[in-house]
Amino acid sequence: MKFTASYIAEAIRGRLRGQATLEVERLVDPRQLESNTVAVLFTKDIPKEIPADALIVVPEGTSIPDRVNAIEVPNPKLAFARLTKLFHYQKELRGIHETAVVSPSAQISEDSYIGAYSVIGENVKIGSGVRIMEHVVVMDGVEIGNNTVIYPNTVIYPDVVIGKDCIIHSGCVLGSDGFGFVLSEEGNQEKVYHLGKVLIKDRVEIGANTTIDRAVLGETIIDTDVKIDNLVQIAHNVRVGRSTVIASQAGIAGSSQIGQYCMIGGQVGIADHLTIGDKVALGAQSGVNKNITKPGVYLGTPALELHRTLRIWSILQKLPELYKKLLRFLDAQNEQR
Amino acid sequence: MKFTASYIAEAIRGRLRGQATLEVERLVDPRQLESNTVAVLFTKDIPKEIPADALIVVPEGTSIPDRVNAIEVPNPKLAFARLTKLFHYQKELRGIHETAVVSPSAQISEDSYIGAYSVIGENVKIGSGVRIMEHVVVMDGVEIGNNTVIYPNTVIYPDVVIGKDCIIHSGCVLGSDGFGFVLSEEGNQEKVYHLGKVLIKDRVEIGANTTIDRAVLGETIIDTDVKIDNLVQIAHNVRVGRSTVIASQAGIAGSSQIGQYCMIGGQVGIADHLTIGDKVALGAQSGVNKNITKPGVYLGTPALELHRTLRIWSILQKLPELYKKLLRFLDAQNEQR
Amino acid sequence: MKFTASYIAEAIRGRLRGQATLEVERLVDPRQLESNTVAVLFTKDIPKEIPADALIVVPEGTSIPDRVNAIEVPNPKLAFARLTKLFHYQKELRGIHETAVVSPSAQISEDSYIGAYSVIGENVKIGSGVRIMEHVVVMDGVEIGNNTVIYPNTVIYPDVVIGKDCIIHSGCVLGSDGFGFVLSEEGNQEKVYHLGKVLIKDRVEIGANTTIDRAVLGETIIDTDVKIDNLVQIAHNVRVGRSTVIASQAGIAGSSQIGQYCMIGGQVGIADHLTIGDKVALGAQSGVNKNITKPGVYLGTPALELHRTLRIWSILQKLPELYKKLLRFLDAQNEQR
């Protein structure tokens, strides 16, 4: 892959300062800059030695040395994301592998790809440009929108609906039964069968080995542009709002509703039947047992506003000395009496 | 699917108040009640408008308006579970898919099903009415009891024994090696190979992507009617007692023994070599580092009796103000002296 | 399997006290000792009745009754590990199963094994004595070193490099994209594509359903002799040092570096961009939000030195009574004024 500096400037929506025809072949870490590479600097500190035929992307207003080729951007992190997209290689894939087992009633766009040993159930609908890699099991009645990619070994239970431009990584299980049991008169756990669905909207990404359970009745809903990391658990009837991101090993219990543009940290647990409003950020390992309506950053178990949990943690760390002092004081008081 | 009100009343062990021949086709949320549907009300509050040809299930003693068709039950949650079972559709499946790889020494009941691309190892024994879906790997010497269902992409290591009427969801790994290493004289981690087994008794359900390790020697045992959610870790030599339920992302470390009818919350961690008695409930995210012998509800890390942890949490939340007051007071005392 | 006492003594590097030609067939728990079995005692307490044709392994300096066959060892745990290796049965496997889909450009040693339905991508290199079990997906450009074993249903993304003598359990996903998104001007989460790799060195073991993400640029590195349990998350650009062990459900966030010979407990969370030095042990469920440079044992969220967290926990458990006493005292003070 080769791109000119001017092509890159346009792709990342930046302003080019330097040679428009310079060609770069690789995106590198700033410490690895060499001829024909490009790197992104997240601060205005520029390394001393930059090869004359390298390219750097810098925050707007950075002072750029002579003879250095640079692109100024308002948001270097966003420029970096766009550069990774540019340099990302995606193999051409099309057609149905001869070993795939496809139900005659499945409707599959001709320009889609079904990989080796994948199994496509009855009445499945697969849109245009979809890439279903090896060993994916798509059970009856599933729908998959245009340009979605599903990595190997993911299982999609019946009637799950997945939108356009999604990326589902390996080992996910979408649409398994939720966890519901009721103790019977005879002392047995009787199963609540799950008659609902999972609805995953457009541009959702789901990390490896994540599980999303189907609803009891109705739908478990993952809204547009939601991004979910590895090993996350989403229980039955949960709703996750637009563009929310959920980090690894977090778990959301049954029927809870998460707002838009939330950031759920790693290993966070959210109890069942809660409502979390828009733009709520939850620090890693937080445990949420109450509704949160106000946007802001929360932390701890139970989760409180960030500054408050940090204050409590700071006092806790002084507790041994404080406790000693206090005991000594209370003893002295008792003696005086 | 269509059932008469009288059929339903019998199936859920309730008392019919209304038209015995009314037919219902779907189980719905009370807000979605319409003609020929049935909904369960968990309280005695009844919605104002109930269609004359709909059916509601209500707690015993609910006052039922004229012309409303109802079934009274002692336990609406249990009735709901039984209704979900009634309305749950299970496809007819039988025989061995032509792509399955089955060892000649495996014994498989004629009325069982082996799905596409599943692999059945040597000397495997599969009972009557078993459904092994697509892409399941059943390694040598495994035994699977009657009517058990195994969803796609689950792997069962050698010599694991699974009882009757179990449901194993997708992506489970049953019988993998436990985690045991000993530092050698040369500073290398030497592996403890796992020579034991996993024994899963009858009516056990295991959620997606859960892992259960085999014993070092002897057996890891999951007793009758145990229900395990998604992404749970059960380590080597653990024993889980009858009808205990374990929520998502909980982990039980090596050799711990869990009693009967326990409820282990989501993301709970139980340390190794502990004994948890019968009827112990552990709140989400609890961390258990001691034996618990008394039935009851426990919460927190380290886990204490519920009321005590809630009390501590409540004081913790006042800690910043208390600390300020206390410092001021101690300062004042010092000045006085 | 049958081994003589003298053969076993040599294998576990111990000193034989008893009959050299005694043959044992099974490794058992000390309570199950019978003829022709061997058990390891971890303390110097010896069971009263030991069959004359059984063998025990004991700590050096244990007083051994007459007619008991024993092997003295400096480290019984290490001897136990070596015995499990001795008694561990591994099936002979070699060749490529007829159902495997292997790219013509893949280089596979003749003495390696590729199981049923496994898929081997372009330019993959597989060393000598490698065992790739059923349903493994090895994507393009992957390299796998000599004698490594990969259990069923694991997925290896492109260009991952795995060393010699590794064991990768079922359901792992190695090399999936890391979790990186940047909010765009239009309010969408734009994906950071991951152009880096995963490098797994020699003698690494990885538990079932564990996920290891590829680097953004550069490499995620799992160093020699690292042992990782089930359901662990290793994020992009993490480095884990030699012989470190990581227990189940732990998670290490992006770019953090873990030293050598560390012990990471179950459900531990380590935040991103941190450095953990050598020989650091982290108790279960700990949350680490700062660098740790000093070797030692740490516990809690946030993680502190073990004794300090235990002290804080002990005071916390007295907090309700302390709080009551304190309130009463402060009230009394106010009244006096």
Side-chain angles (χ1 to χ4, degrees), chain C residues 178-225:
Chain C
F179 196 62
F181 299 91
V182 185
L183 211 55
S184 76
E185 303 89 344
E186 296 86 6
N188 295 324
Q189 302 288 1
E190 292 207 14
K191 178 178 173 66
V192 176
Y193 286 82
H194 279 64
L195 314 176
K197 297 186 181 183
V198 171
L199 174 53
I200 293 169
K201 298 208 176 162
D202 301 341
R203 300 201 316 274
V204 170
E205 180 156 348
I206 301 179
N209 285 351
T210 280
T211 58
I212 302 182
D213 284 345
R214 66 198 308 114
V216 182
L217 305 174
E219 292 161 334
T220 303
I221 299 177
I222 310 297
D223 212 336
T224 304
D225 203 37

Side-chain angles (χ1 to χ4, degrees), chain A residues 99 117 135 140 153 157 171 185-191 193 209 213 231 233 249-250 268 301 308, chain B residues 13 82 84 91 117 135 151 153 169 203 205 209 225 230 242-243 248-249 261 267 285 317 321:
Chain A
T99 62
Y117 297 124
H135 285 262
D140 298 348
N153 277 21
Y157 277 53
E185 302 91 343
E186 296 85 6
N188 295 325
Q189 302 288 1
E190 291 208 15
K191 177 176 172 69
Y193 286 81
N209 286 351
D213 284 344
L231 292 166
Q233 153 74 353
Q249 297 177 322
V268 163
T301 298
R308 195 143 182 96
Chain B
R13 309 190 198 175
R82 286 171 178 158
T84 62
K91 205 175 173 176
Y117 298 124
H135 285 262
Y151 280 91
N153 277 21
H169 282 283
R203 300 201 317 275
E205 181 157 347
N209 285 352
D225 202 40
N230 301 342
R242 188 192 196 288
S243 300
S248 180
Q249 296 177 325
Y261 293 98
Q267 298 183 339
Q285 288 193 335
Q317 292 183 18
E321 288 70 29

Side-chain angles (χ1 to χ4, degrees), chain A residues 140-200:
Chain A
D140 298 348
V142 167
E143 297 181 25
I144 301 175
N146 299 345
N147 301 315
T148 283
V149 179
I150 301 182
Y151 280 91
N153 277 21
T154 274
V155 178
I156 306 174
Y157 277 53
D159 301 319
V160 169
V161 176
I162 301 177
K164 289 181 281 189
D165 301 307
C166 293
I167 300 174
I168 316 288
H169 282 282
S170 285
C172 288
V173 181
L174 308 180
S176 42
D177 285 357
F179 196 62
F181 299 91
V182 184
L183 210 55
S184 74
E185 302 91 343
E186 296 85 6
N188 295 325
Q189 302 288 1
E190 291 208 15
K191 177 176 172 69
V192 175
Y193 286 81
H194 280 63
L195 313 177
K197 296 186 182 184
V198 172
L199 174 54
I200 294 169

Side-chain angles (χ1 to χ4, degrees), chain A residues 30 39-47 50 56-65 70-77 80:
Chain A
V40 179
L41 306 175
F42 297 105
T43 71
K44 293 181 183 174
D45 294 328
I46 290 196
I50 296 176
I56 54 172
V57 177
V58 297
E60 272 176 357
T62 303
S63 75
I64 301 160
I71 299 171
E72 281 187 298
V73 292
N75 182 347
K77 284 192 178 173
F80 181 75

